Amino acid sequence: MSAPPVPGIDSRMVEKVGIHISAKNLPKLHTFNMTDPYAAIFLLDKKKNALIGSGVTEVVKDNLNPKFAKMFNVDYLFEEAQEVIVQIYHHTGHQNLLEFDRQELIGEYRFPLATLMCATGQVLHAALRNANKLGAQLGEIEIRAEPIANTRDLFVVEFSCNKLVNKEGFFSKSDPFLEISRMNEDGTHTMVWRSEHKDNTLNPRWALTKIPMVSLCNGDIDRPLKIDIYDHERSGKHVFMGTSSTSVRGMLSGGNRPIPVVEPEKQQKKKGYVDSGTLTAGNCQIEYHPAFTDFVMGGLEISLSIGIDFTGSNGDPREPTSLHYLDPSQKTWN
């Protein structure tokens, strides 16, 4: 027989889990416009038979194979059956992404959270379904989970590139942007951060940015990272410009040294190939944001003083007008 719960203490067996979502082979919903997908995630409250929203991702414009950078934080309760619903929408242009009835549902996938946590590599692949489009090919979804490290720290960095190879021809220059992916235990990569694109330049400079360490590497500064560079295209068919491999520790200890940007196909086929430009992670540092428990574990002492006023002039504590009145229903405290 389990012990009775202690008031004020969450005695449930719970673990914080980060969930990443990506999709591929989504349908082109309209003849003259590409699909602009985004994802929404819900937990089903079986007691109330209601959906509890956990948030939405960013919109990935003009893309049938989106990789969403946003990570969802979910409480995994070991002793409860939790059903998760992930829906993929086409953004119709209405600003509020939470007004789902004004967006266009592509499809959804429902699964028990325990199934995801117990799956090999904690990853699930499934076909999207839509009750209004039975039998239609709506694409596939990938759901990936990982227990979240207890960190609120931020990685601070200024990215820049130099002498990238132009992918736009003779009359214009590429519009580069960055995508950072972290390596998973199975050797695959999950995209965790995307920069804005810089117009018409082969030497882009990005403003100082702060990336949550829990998203970037889940607190592991030695975790391998892949930084891909793309030439942005309005059609969504972004052109690969090269990739660099590093880690948080590598960037911190790099001393602003350039990292080679490599195009693997050229590297294999072109004799004497060196690189396709360089990437620099400048002014790197970790901005520490300790939790309250870190202060306590570090020896923080808290002093508390309590005073009790027994002054008789405050009146009979049984009367509502008294400053010491104790409401029997505990709804009012003077």
Side-chain angles (χ1 to χ4, degrees):
M1 184 175 180
S2 60
V6 179
I9 297 179
D10 189 350
S11 59
R12 301 174 301 173
M13 297 182 65
V14 61
E15 183 174 28
K16 294 286 185 181
V17 172
I19 293 181
H20 284 277
I21 301 170
S22 62
K24 63 181 181 179
N25 301 325
L26 297 180
K28 184 178 179 181
L29 299 178
H30 305 284
T31 304
F32 300 106
N33 295 311
M34 284 288 288
T35 302
D36 300 332
Y38 74 97
I41 187 169
F42 304 89
L43 293 175
L44 178 62
D45 186 334
K46 294 187 175 180
K47 294 180 180 179
K48 299 180 180 179
N49 194 29
L51 296 180
I52 302 174
S54 293
V56 297
T57 67
E58 72 281 10
V59 175
V60 181
K61 287 186 171 295
D62 302 324
N63 200 315
L64 303 181
N65 302 285
K67 297 178 180 179
F68 302 107
K70 181 178 175 62
M71 180 179 71
F72 294 100
N73 297 336
V74 176
D75 286 339
Y76 173 40
L77 306 175
F78 299 91
E79 298 175 320
E80 295 185 18
Q82 296 171 276
E83 184 172 353
V84 181
I85 302 171
V86 178
Q87 296 178 332
I88 305 294
Y89 286 89
H90 164 61
H91 182 225
T92 59
H94 295 289
Q95 292 296 323
N96 191 347
L97 298 181
L98 298 176
E99 293 183 353
F100 301 113
D101 56 338
R102 305 186 72 179
Q103 314 296 340
E104 189 170 351
L105 177 65
I106 298 174
E108 68 177 28
Y109 174 50
R110 299 183 176 221
F111 60 94
L113 184 55
T115 299
L116 172 61
M117 299 306 298
C118 296
T120 302
Q122 294 181 325
V123 58
L124 295 176
H125 297 90
L128 289 168
R129 297 283 182 262
N130 189 327
N132 296 322
K133 299 179 180 179
L134 296 177
Q137 298 296 317
L138 302 175
E140 303 170 27
I141 191 170
E142 178 184 285
I143 314 290
R144 184 177 292 273
E146 183 174 337
I148 295 176
N150 183 24
T151 176
R152 299 188 299 172
D153 299 339
L154 301 174
F155 181 64
V156 183
V157 62
E158 288 183 88
F159 285 115
S160 62
C161 293
N162 191 42
K163 296 182 179 180
L164 297 176
V165 174
N166 191 24
K167 301 295 181 179
E168 287 290 346
F170 296 104
F171 301 106
S172 61
K173 295 179 181 178
S174 295
D175 308 318
F177 69 93
L178 307 176
E179 282 189 355
I180 301 181
S181 301
R182 69 188 192 190
M183 182 178 285
N184 304 309
E185 290 186 359
D186 58 4
T188 62
H189 288 81
T190 297
M191 197 271 289
V192 295
W193 181 82
R194 180 188 294 113
S195 74
E196 75 279 7
H197 68 271
K198 295 295 183 179
D199 290 329
N200 199 39
T201 178
L202 302 179
N203 302 289
R205 302 287 185 271
W206 286 273
L208 183 78
T209 187
K210 298 182 179 183
I211 309 172
M213 288 284 287
V214 68
S215 298
L216 183 62
C217 60
N218 206 17
D220 181 2
I221 65 173
D222 293 311
R223 188 169 187 167
L225 301 175
K226 181 179 67 167
I227 305 179
D228 293 329
I229 306 172
Y230 291 92
D231 177 15
H232 182 270
E233 301 292 341
R234 293 185 64 185
S235 65
K237 297 180 180 179
H238 308 306
V239 180
F240 179 69
M241 300 181 71
T243 187
S244 298
S245 297
T246 184
S247 65
V248 170
R249 187 188 296 277
M251 289 186 280
L252 288 171
S253 62
N256 294 346
R257 288 190 300 271
I259 306 169
V261 175
V262 176
E263 294 180 76
E265 288 190 5
K266 283 187 178 181
Q267 192 176 40
Q268 293 177 2
K269 298 179 180 179
K270 192 174 180 179
K271 190 175 181 180
Y273 174 80
V274 179
D275 58 47
S276 296
T278 59
L279 168 73
T280 300
N283 301 319
C284 297
Q285 61 176 305
I286 294 178
E287 185 177 290
Y288 293 101
H289 291 261
F292 179 73
T293 53
D294 295 322
F295 287 104
V296 175
M297 293 174 65
L300 174 70
E301 295 183 2
I302 301 175
S303 298
L304 177 65
S305 298
I306 299 175
I308 301 177
D309 181 9
F310 288 102
T311 307
S313 60
N314 287 324
D316 190 336
R318 293 171 295 182
E319 296 295 329
T321 56
S322 170
L323 293 178
H324 298 304
Y325 175 63
L326 299 179
D327 183 4
S329 66
Q330 297 186 349
K331 293 182 180 180
T332 302
W333 298 90
N334 287 351

